């Protein structure tokens, strides 16, 4: 079994209402040092190792492009192992 | 400005409906090698450096315990820099 992690973030400049809400909540809890909060997705995939490593990486890229990340407003980063 | 990242995951054994949905969708897209999908939060915090490093770390821990992570079903990991 191979474990691959994918970090999906909103692109710079895209409004992050969830992050803004968390930022205001942290201020109300007294954490004045917080300047910005951005909230993305942290995806852990467990994959059968039936494919070659580079083929598997290509598949994960396709999974991100087709489903796991919204190409219009999100970027993603694949972190192996 | 200091950047701190926090990874928030559902605890092992806690059902992940969002992950299950993504897993089934990936199978229907033909990615049969997917065995499991777990989806957590990837939080990027920008903080003023008004506090000492260890005090800042303590504050981030408090932010997680009080707001960013649900201690009943989630674990978190603080990634500095």
């Amino acid at each position: 079994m191979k474990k691959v992690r994918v970090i999906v973030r909103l692109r710079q400049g895209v409004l992050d209402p969830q992050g803004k809400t968390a930022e205001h909540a942290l201020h109300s809890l007294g954490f004045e040092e917080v300047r910005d909060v951005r909230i993305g997705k942290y995806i852990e995939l467990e994959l059968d190792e039936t494919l070659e490593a580079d083929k598997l990486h290509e598949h994960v890229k396709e999974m991100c492009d087709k489903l796991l990340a919204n190409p219009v407003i999100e970027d993603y980063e694949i972190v192996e192992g």
Side-chain angles (χ1 to χ4, degrees), chain A residues 53-79:
Chain A
D54 48 0
K55 187 70 181 162
L56 208 59
H57 184 84
E58 218 180 284
H59 268 206
V60 174
K61 230 179 117 350
E62 269 184 65
M63 294 178 205
C64 293
D65 293 335
K66 287 180 178 173
L67 183 82
L68 300 175
N70 176 343
V72 176
I73 59 169
E74 291 174 330
D75 290 322
Y76 63 83
E77 180 190 340
I78 297 170
V79 181

Side-chain angles (χ1 to χ4, degrees), chain A residues 6 12 28 38 41 43-44 47 49 54 57-58 63 70 74 79:
Chain A
V6 178
Q12 281 305 332
S28 62
R38 305 277 293 175
K41 286 179 281 197
I43 302 170
E44 293 175 300
L47 309 171
E49 299 202 70
D54 48 0
H57 184 84
E58 218 180 284
M63 294 178 205
N70 176 343
E74 291 174 330
V79 181

Side-chain angles (χ1 to χ4, degrees), chain A residues 1-4 45-49 53 56 80-81:
Chain A
M1 199 78 77
K2 183 169 173 87
K3 195 160 213 172
V4 176
L45 298 167
E46 277 190 23
L47 309 171
D48 274 341
E49 299 202 70
L56 208 59
E80 306 277 341

Side-chain angles (χ1 to χ4, degrees), chain A residues 4-49:
Chain A
V4 176
R5 292 172 186 78
V6 178
I7 295 170
V8 179
R9 291 186 187 88
L10 283 172
R11 291 225 170 106
Q12 281 305 332
V14 174
L15 188 66
D16 180 357
Q18 199 182 4
K20 275 292 162 229
T21 305
E23 185 184 329
H24 295 147
L26 288 171
H27 284 166
S28 62
L29 286 170
F31 299 109
E32 294 307 330
E33 66 269 29
V34 176
R35 279 295 137 266
D36 190 35
V37 181
R38 305 277 293 175
I39 299 180
K41 286 179 281 197
Y42 183 81
I43 302 170
E44 293 175 300
L45 298 167
E46 277 190 23
L47 309 171
D48 274 341
E49 299 202 70

